[in-house]
């Protein structure tokens, strides 16, 4: 019994940190631009496949770089894809939320089909960043879970410092609070929005490596992270980074406990139940809407 409890506590902490990575990028984009980016899950997929291509030379016969470089590549391609998506498409249609909503979904579906053509629909296995495991009392925790936890919190900490302690970061925060007010202070809104998409894409690419390693990498892997991001963001409060982190841990622990007690088949059941309850009782989410778009 004690071993199961420790397993839930440790595993929940590890996976929740990665869930927070997924949700933060999603909520930042909505907070700054008012856009529900349904291609966010596809950016996670791009990061996972970017890592796969540059590290799995035995599979593709092209590159076989160290996993550390693969992680950097995953972050870079996620950020680049997100930036191109904003500059090439969303920037021109973001004033129409419905069109933007549908357009990002279409982009995700197109990317999924392209990855099926390029890599087949079969799940792939990523090379483990840090193979092995470490004992934690009654359970063994894989090194990749530990690394995922540490790296996720480093990324979250750096983002928090950036948006609260630097002028460029404060510009993002100011824009999320009030576009009109930010403009009056001389903030370049298109530049700020593009930078936000760049950061969100970097977070998605990073999350892609851990999701792809802990679960699997396939052209449909973007569906679960997208649903997860939406659930977490709504529960935490759309536009709230703090809310996303708290909700990520709530959902992460809830799913871990559910799998431990009922099995993997019930993983998302209670998350949806919590979502419904929050929508009925607190439609604004646990922390309300921290960032207001005008």
């Amino acid at each position: 019994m004690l071993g199961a409890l420790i397993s839930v506590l440790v595993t929940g902490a590890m996976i929740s940190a990665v869930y927070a990575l997924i949700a933060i990028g999603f909520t930042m984009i909505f907070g700054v631009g008012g856009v529900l980016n349904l291609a966010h899950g596809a950016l996670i997929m791009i990061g996972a496949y970017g890592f796969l291509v540059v590290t799995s030379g035995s599979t593709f016969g092209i590159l076989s770089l160290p996993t550390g470089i693969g992680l950097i590549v995953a972050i870079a391609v996620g950020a680049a894809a997100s930036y191109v998506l904003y500059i090439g498409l969303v920037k021109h249609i973001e004033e129409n939320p419905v069109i933007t909503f549908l357009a990002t979904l279409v982009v995700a579906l197109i990317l999924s089909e392209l990855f099926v053509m390029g890599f087949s629909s079969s799940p792939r296995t990523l090379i483990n960043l840090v193979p092995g495991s470490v004992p934690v009392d009654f359970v063994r925790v894989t090194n990749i879970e530990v690394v995922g936890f540490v790296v996720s919190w480093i990324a979250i900490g750096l983002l928090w410092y950036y948006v609260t302690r630097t002028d460029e970061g404060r510009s993002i925060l100011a824009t999320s609070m009030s576009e009109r007010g930010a403009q009056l202070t001389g903030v370049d809104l298109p530049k700020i929005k593009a930078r936000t998409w760049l950061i969100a894409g970097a977070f998605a690419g990073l999350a892609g490596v851990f999701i792809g390693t802990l679960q699997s990498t396939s052209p449909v892997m973007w569906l679960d992270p997208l649903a997860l991001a939406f659930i977490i963001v709504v529960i935490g409060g759309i536009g709230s980074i703090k809310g996303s982190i708290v909700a990520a841990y709530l959902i992460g622990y809830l799913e871990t406990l559910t799998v431990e007690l009922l099995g993997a088949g019930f993983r998302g059941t209670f998350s949806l139940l919590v979502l419904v309850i929050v929508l009925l009782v607190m439609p604004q989410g646990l922390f309300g809407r921290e960032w207001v778009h005008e």
Side-chain angles (χ1 to χ4, degrees), residues 55-230:
T55 60
S56 301
S58 59
T59 302
F60 296 95
I62 303 172
L63 296 171
S64 185
L65 300 177
T67 54
I69 295 178
L71 185 64
I72 295 173
V73 169
I75 295 170
V77 296
S82 183
Y83 182 82
V84 169
L85 175 60
Y86 177 73
I87 295 299
L89 176 64
V90 175
K91 180 180 179 180
H92 308 288
I93 60 175
E94 61 183 333
E95 296 304 320
N96 190 320
V98 175
I99 296 298
T100 306
F101 180 89
L102 295 174
T104 55
L105 175 60
V106 169
V107 168
L109 293 172
I110 291 174
L111 287 172
S112 183
E113 289 302 316
L114 290 176
F115 275 73
V116 169
M117 293 169 58
F119 299 94
S120 84
S121 59
S122 302
R124 303 273 186 168
T125 301
L126 298 185
I127 295 177
N128 203 324
L129 273 169
V130 187
S133 60
V134 293
V136 179
D137 287 333
F138 297 94
V139 299
R140 296 193 69 84
V141 180
T142 61
N143 289 336
I144 186 63
E145 289 180 309
V146 176
V147 171
F149 176 82
V150 173
V151 172
S152 296
W153 271 106
I154 289 174
I156 292 169
L158 290 174
L159 175 65
W160 196 266
Y161 179 86
Y162 178 70
V163 299
T164 59
R165 295 289 185 268
T166 69
D167 290 338
E168 290 185 353
R170 290 191 189 101
S171 296
I172 293 177
L173 194 58
T175 303
S176 69
M177 291 177 176
S178 170
E179 281 193 4
R180 189 177 300 113
Q183 282 181 309
L184 292 175
T185 61
V187 171
D188 186 340
L189 289 183
K191 184 177 180 181
I192 292 300
K193 290 180 180 180
R195 186 183 300 152
T196 302
W197 279 75
L198 194 69
I199 294 171
F203 269 57
L206 178 59
V209 175
F210 297 119
I211 292 294
T213 304
L214 293 170
Q215 298 176 13
S216 65
T217 299
S218 73
V220 295
M221 68 175 288
W222 61 277
L223 292 169
D224 285 344
L226 178 62
L228 188 68
F230 184 78

